[in-house]
Amino acid sequence: MSITQSIVAALKKNLVPGLALQLFALSILVIYFFVPAAKPVFSWFGLLKQHYGFAYSFIATALFGGLIPFLYLWLSNSLAPHRNMPGLLIFYILFWGLKGMEVDLFYRLQADWFGTGNDAKTIITKMAADQFIYSALWAAPGITIIYLWMESNWNIAECRRAMDKRFFCVKIPTVILSNWLVWIPAVSVVYAMPAELQIPLFNLVLCFWVLLLAVLNKR
């Protein structure tokens, strides 16, 4: 399959979940700004984030990005039966917990670099740095490689063999472009929220995204 065919196939597969994800994120934004009754809930999450900092980011992202998706995949028999389930669970929790701390650090750096406003210029600048630098050069390729290593049963030699020319010239670009399709609007909504609510919203969007993909793509 050529890179063009791979990208078109990925975009078709991600179109529906991408639109659903964006609608979900936008709904949360609308509720935050226009439904006063929901303010206490947002305030509670914001206070938790402010009080516990990176510990909150680790635990919340491990829960929403790791534990909940793992439980769904396991209970729906979408994981290969020969896999080491305890080891796989530990991987999901540790990987996504650490990734949550990384994203939190990146959000803090962006606040220092570009400010904490939610005007259009600030949101677009943060979105561009997020998607075209952090995600394109680090996050998306890194996650793809780590998951390839996991799928290679933690065998470094097997993983390296799988990282051939097609992996870097087709697979990685496909992942990055698919990521842009669904996350450019989503992170724009995240950056429109106050700083203390950006990680909680990121966690909700991440969980919704992973679960939606799992429903549509069983394996």
Side-chain angles (χ1 to χ4, degrees):
M1 182 182 292
S2 68
I3 183 171
T4 302
Q5 292 172 322
S6 179
I7 290 171
V8 170
L11 294 182
K12 287 181 178 179
K13 183 178 292 185
N14 287 308
L15 180 61
V16 173
L19 291 174
L21 171 74
Q22 293 153 21
L23 180 61
F24 175 75
L26 185 60
S27 298
I28 293 177
L29 185 69
V30 170
I31 291 172
Y32 174 77
F33 283 106
F34 297 103
V35 182
K39 286 288 185 179
V41 177
F42 287 99
S43 298
W44 184 73
F45 278 105
L47 288 173
L48 280 179
K49 174 62 178 67
Q50 285 183 316
H51 184 73
Y52 292 104
F54 283 113
Y56 174 91
S57 301
F58 181 92
I59 294 171
T61 311
L63 174 66
F64 288 105
L67 180 60
I68 293 175
F70 173 85
L71 290 176
Y72 171 81
L73 293 170
W74 177 50
L75 294 173
S76 62
N77 296 317
S78 296
L79 296 172
H82 66 277
R83 299 303 299 268
N84 178 0
M85 295 304 169
L88 199 58
L89 175 59
I90 292 172
F91 162 75
Y92 269 81
I93 291 174
L94 289 180
F95 176 78
W96 284 107
L98 292 172
K99 184 60 67 175
M101 295 176 68
E102 177 188 298
V103 171
D104 188 0
L105 175 61
F106 181 68
Y107 286 178
R108 295 182 189 211
L109 290 174
Q110 290 235 74
D112 291 337
W113 296 334
F114 309 121
T116 58
N118 62 353
D119 56 284
K121 180 181 178 181
T122 302
I123 292 172
I124 292 172
T125 302
K126 288 183 176 181
M127 178 278 295
D130 185 314
Q131 290 299 294
F132 301 125
I133 299 176
Y134 168 71
S135 292
L137 301 180
W138 172 256
I143 291 173
T144 306
I145 292 171
I146 291 295
Y147 268 72
L148 175 65
W149 183 35
M150 177 192 67
E151 292 298 332
S152 301
N153 293 315
W154 314 114
N155 187 310
I156 295 178
E158 182 179 339
C159 180
R160 290 179 62 182
R161 284 194 296 271
M163 293 168 60
D164 54 13
K165 181 179 179 180
R166 186 181 184 281
F167 178 81
F168 287 104
C169 295
V170 177
K171 181 66 175 178
I172 293 293
T174 300
V175 170
I176 292 171
L177 288 173
S178 299
N179 186 73
W180 286 344
L181 173 71
V182 298
W183 280 97
I184 284 177
V187 297
S188 298
V189 173
V190 169
Y191 289 128
M193 299 290 280
E196 68 274 12
L197 290 175
Q198 289 177 1
I199 286 294
L201 178 55
F202 163 76
N203 290 149
L204 289 175
V205 172
L206 175 66
C207 185
F208 182 77
W209 169 242
V210 174
L211 288 176
L212 195 55
L213 281 184
V215 170
L216 295 178
N217 307 287
K218 280 294 186 179
R219 304 299 296 182

